[in-house]
């Protein structure tokens, strides 16, 4: 049976290969670190009735305890983010194996462009709190 499995694997690799940007994203999605609390998606304008009919940005709201993360996803994969309660936030934007880090302004706001195709997530940390990570987002 091993020969048949090998033949099928080669056929799949040849006729329906995995897109190059998906393999790192799939591996990262199974990252088992438990060093951040998972923020729950509570609002997504993509699923709201008629909210994106005009082609405007996608609006997402995540919550984890007292922390709220509002994300506006604009065309071109530009993110405008506000973390409440306000205060300087250290953030990491993750796309597969690519990481972009930075610090928000004093009110917890920052803007960043998703640098590669594929699902992404945000890991945010206020100076006096545990880190919070959003679920993976496909924009």
């Amino acid at each position: 049976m091993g020969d048949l499995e090998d033949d099928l694997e080669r056929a799949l690799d040849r006729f329906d290969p995995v897109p190059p940007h998906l393999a790192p994203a799939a591996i990262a999605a199974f990252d088992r670190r438990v060093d951040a609390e998972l923020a729950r998606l509570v609002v997504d304008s993509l699923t709201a009735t008629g909210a994106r009919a005009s082609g405007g940005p996608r609006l997402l709201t995540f919550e984890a305890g007292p922390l709220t993360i509002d994300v506006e996803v604009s065309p071109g994969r530009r993110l405008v983010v506000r973390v409440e309660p306000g205060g300087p936030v250290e953030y990491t934007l993750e796309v597969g194996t690519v990481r972009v880090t930075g610090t928000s302004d004093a009110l917890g706001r920052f803007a960043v462009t998703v640098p590669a195709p594929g699902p992404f997530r945000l890991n945010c940390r206020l100076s006096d709190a545990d880190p919070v990570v959003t679920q993976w987002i496909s924009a």
Side-chain angles (χ1 to χ4, degrees), residues 10-137:
R10 281 192 298 277
L12 283 173
D13 287 343
R14 180 174 178 199
F15 297 110
D16 191 19
V18 175
H21 71 277
L22 284 185
I27 291 167
F30 287 97
D31 184 357
R32 301 284 186 207
R33 293 176 298 156
V34 187
D35 58 353
E37 182 177 355
L38 181 63
R40 176 172 65 92
L41 179 64
V42 294
V43 175
D44 183 349
S45 65
L46 187 62
T47 60
T49 307
R52 287 191 69 188
S54 66
R58 182 177 181 189
L59 305 174
L60 304 161
T61 300
F62 297 90
E63 291 180 350
L67 191 72
T68 300
I69 303 170
D70 292 314
V71 181
E72 178 181 303
V73 184
S74 298
R77 298 171 54 93
R78 177 99 172 130
L79 308 181
V80 177
V81 182
R82 182 183 66 187
V83 179
E84 291 184 12
V89 174
E90 294 177 14
Y91 68 88
T92 301
L93 171 67
E94 301 177 46
V95 185
T97 59
V98 178
R99 306 282 189 269
V100 176
T101 60
T103 304
S104 73
D105 66 12
L107 299 176
R109 303 173 301 187
F110 61 92
V112 62
T113 299
V114 179
F120 63 90
R121 71 178 176 181
L122 287 167
N123 188 322
C124 299
R125 182 183 183 126
L126 289 164
S127 60
D128 61 345
D130 291 331
V132 171
V133 66
T134 67
Q135 69 188 52
W136 290 95
I137 305 159

